[in-house]
Amino acid sequence: MRSTFAVLAAALATPAIQAQPAEPLWEIGIGAFGISQQAYPGADQQVNRGIALPYALYRGEVLRVDRGGAGLRAVKQPAFEVDIGVSGAFGARSDDIEARRGMPDLGTLVEFGPRLVWRLDGGTPTPGAGCWRVELPLRGVFDLSDDLRHRGMSFEPELQYARRSSGGWSYSASAGLVFADRRLARTFYAVDPVYATAGRTAYEARSGLLATRLGLTVSRSLSPDWRLFGFARLDSVAGAANRDSPLVRRTTGGSVGIGVAWTWLRSERPAAD
């Protein structure tokens, strides 16, 4: 499911608004950030991480490592784009989550699959205005902590609005739905009989709506080489297919993160778009 890695990639990169000066073809730098992430939609506990990592952005005609993750762009039209992307999410130790204690850990998940992007302004935004877009990613989910074992499929339709303000801030807001097949739903919500306890009944997960999601990312250039960024996300399992799982302890939960990025090197050649 599209999650923390993709959100951080969106925060590191500026909003995709065409009526702005071209960005460099590539950038290399270091990002440091702190995250408090809901362990999974419906969890009543957070997973806290602090990480410093090198990063590379590349904005080629086909290969893209930028806003929304990394992948290959197959089709590029003013109003539509199709790419094959990669994203992912941090895992969590079940012994650190009371509801899952004694159960298998939630591994670090990576996603791979096609995404359709539809620009509602037709690819020609009004100068000074923001842009609206719809993203329709369909991705397979694999467990990096378990030899890339297939964990299922996700479909995450999302409406986004992105804008750069006159004060130098860039931000984007999004609203979306997360759907999961039965295998992926089992990863988060199934309780096999062997893991049932007096306070945790056996439960067989179902495919369908996993969560409703609202998100916000913000960033600001502090200098040509330094950028401040942050994000906030709200997930709700109200009306979700597995709302009755004993692993669901809270209907609504949030994730937040803040960090800085330093660009070490950048291309003098601008990106094509």
Side-chain angles (χ1 to χ4, degrees), residues 10-17 67 128-133 160-174 215-221 227-232:
L12 277 169
T14 54
I17 302 172
R67 189 176 189 274
C131 68
W132 291 90
R133 55 193 260 163
Q160 298 180 1
Y161 174 76
R163 188 174 185 274
R164 289 188 179 99
S165 72
S166 58
W169 288 93
S170 300
Y171 62 88
S172 65
S174 62
L216 175 69
T217 66
V218 297
S219 65
R220 180 182 173 87
S221 293
R227 174 175 292 274
L228 174 71
F229 63 88
F231 79 90

Side-chain angles (χ1 to χ4, degrees), residues 41-258:
D44 61 351
Q45 290 180 257
Q46 302 290 115
V47 176
N48 301 315
R49 300 283 181 89
I51 300 177
L53 293 171
Y55 73 86
L57 303 177
Y58 185 81
R59 306 177 179 95
E61 285 282 356
V62 177
L63 176 62
R64 308 287 291 187
V65 183
D66 196 10
R67 189 176 189 274
L72 300 175
R73 185 163 63 187
V75 176
K76 174 67 170 68
Q77 298 293 332
F80 294 95
E81 182 177 323
V82 178
D83 62 21
I84 307 297
V86 180
S87 189
F90 293 117
R93 284 170 37 90
S94 289
D95 285 348
D96 296 333
I97 306 169
E98 183 179 350
R100 294 186 58 88
R101 192 156 293 153
M103 296 181 63
D105 293 339
L106 293 174
T108 296
L109 302 178
V110 294
E111 311 163 28
F112 178 82
R115 177 184 63 164
L116 170 66
V117 178
W118 174 25
R119 297 180 180 86
L120 300 184
D121 56 16
T124 54
T126 302
C131 68
W132 291 90
R133 55 193 260 163
V134 173
E135 291 194 3
L136 302 172
L138 175 65
R139 289 174 175 167
V141 182
F142 303 87
D143 193 337
L144 191 64
S145 307
D146 191 14
D147 298 324
L148 289 178
R149 184 181 297 274
H150 184 218
R151 295 300 187 194
M153 300 290 296
S154 71
F155 175 58
E156 303 182 39
E158 186 175 79
L159 175 65
Q160 298 180 1
Y161 174 76
R163 188 174 185 274
R164 289 188 179 99
S165 72
S166 58
W169 288 93
S170 300
Y171 62 88
S172 65
S174 62
L177 302 172
V178 182
F179 295 93
D181 67 359
R182 181 172 172 270
R183 180 179 293 187
L184 183 57
R186 278 189 52 82
T187 300
F188 295 107
Y189 301 114
V191 179
D192 292 334
V194 68
Y195 299 117
T197 66
R200 185 174 63 206
T201 58
Y203 180 82
E204 183 56 50
R206 299 178 293 169
S207 61
L209 179 65
L210 193 87
T212 302
R213 176 167 292 170
L214 299 175
L216 175 69
T217 66
V218 297
S219 65
R220 180 182 173 87
S221 293
L222 303 177
S223 74
D225 296 328
W226 287 90
R227 174 175 292 274
L228 174 71
F229 63 88
F231 79 90
R233 190 178 69 207
L234 193 67
D235 288 333
S236 173
V237 296
N242 295 286
R243 176 65 182 83
D244 295 331
S245 168
L247 301 180
V248 173
R249 299 289 185 87
R250 179 183 296 167
T251 301
T252 303
S255 301
V256 295
I258 189 170

